Amino acid sequence: MIFFVLARADNGVIGVDGRLPWRLPADLKRFKALTMGRPMVMGRKTFDSFPAPLPGRRHIVLTRDATWHAPGAEVAHDVDAALALAGAGEVAVIGGAEIYALMLPRADRIELTEVHCTPDGDARVPAFDGWREIAREAHPADGDRPAYDFVTLVR
């Protein structure tokens, strides 16, 4: 099973300058819970955004650069190779925008944090049309943190 984990603003923004445009500790905690012990497929820029590989998870990096490598990264150059490295079981796709677009036809579930703000950003993901919502948990704004919803979508 392939599932996406991402936070997306109301305007589609998922990132700016290689980082998240908001600080939501509950979203980071949810990300950790959803990905712990599972292989994660990501693009090179997403991998580079981490200060170090995240403990307890495999980092499968999908890149077109045949010479790229990094400690803690398993490198794949196409979707089929990335999924072969991941093996059987649940595979978390964690970004960025190009990787979500490549993997969308194969995804079974989306674990989405809808962040209710409209920040500037250089990475965007379109709305997930044609998916069915099966769970939603709303969280109000808190100080400078925007309101957000944890949403689970399935085909």
Side-chain angles (χ1 to χ4, degrees), residues 3-81:
F3 69 100
F4 288 7
V5 181
L6 74 150
R8 180 184 176 278
D10 292 336
N11 61 354
V13 168
I14 63 168
V16 60
D17 298 329
R19 60 178 176 74
L20 296 173
W22 46 74
R23 179 159 158 46
L24 295 172
D27 178 55
L28 298 177
K29 183 177 178 182
R30 182 174 188 245
F31 174 87
K32 181 178 182 179
L34 288 166
T35 60
M36 186 59 70
R38 293 176 176 85
M40 300 183 304
V41 174
M42 69 200 79
R44 182 197 47 80
K45 289 186 263 186
T46 297
F47 181 84
D48 288 344
S49 74
F50 298 139
L54 302 175
R57 291 152 274 194
R58 291 175 51 212
H59 296 67
I60 299 169
V61 180
L62 189 51
T63 178
R64 290 182 289 265
D65 184 344
T67 63
W68 186 88
H69 65 281
E74 300 174 55
V75 180
H77 301 294
D78 61 55
V79 168
D80 289 331

Side-chain angles (χ1 to χ4, degrees), residues 80-95:
D80 289 331
L83 294 176
L85 277 173
E90 288 194 329
V91 178
V93 176
I94 64 164

Side-chain angles (χ1 to χ4, degrees), residues 69-152:
H69 65 281
E74 300 174 55
V75 180
H77 301 294
D78 61 55
V79 168
D80 289 331
L83 294 176
L85 277 173
E90 288 194 329
V91 178
V93 176
I94 64 164
E98 288 183 51
I99 304 305
Y100 291 128
L102 282 172
M103 300 291 281
L104 188 61
R106 299 179 188 222
D108 301 294
R109 185 175 90 237
I110 299 171
E111 296 293 348
L112 175 65
T113 300
E114 292 179 346
V115 185
H116 300 301
C117 62
T118 55
D120 291 332
D122 53 19
R124 294 177 185 275
V125 170
F128 295 104
D129 295 327
W131 290 75
R132 183 171 52 93
E133 181 178 315
I134 61 167
R136 177 176 294 267
E137 181 182 313
H139 299 269
D142 182 17
D144 62 347
R145 293 189 180 124
Y148 59 94
D149 294 352
F150 293 149
V151 181
T152 300

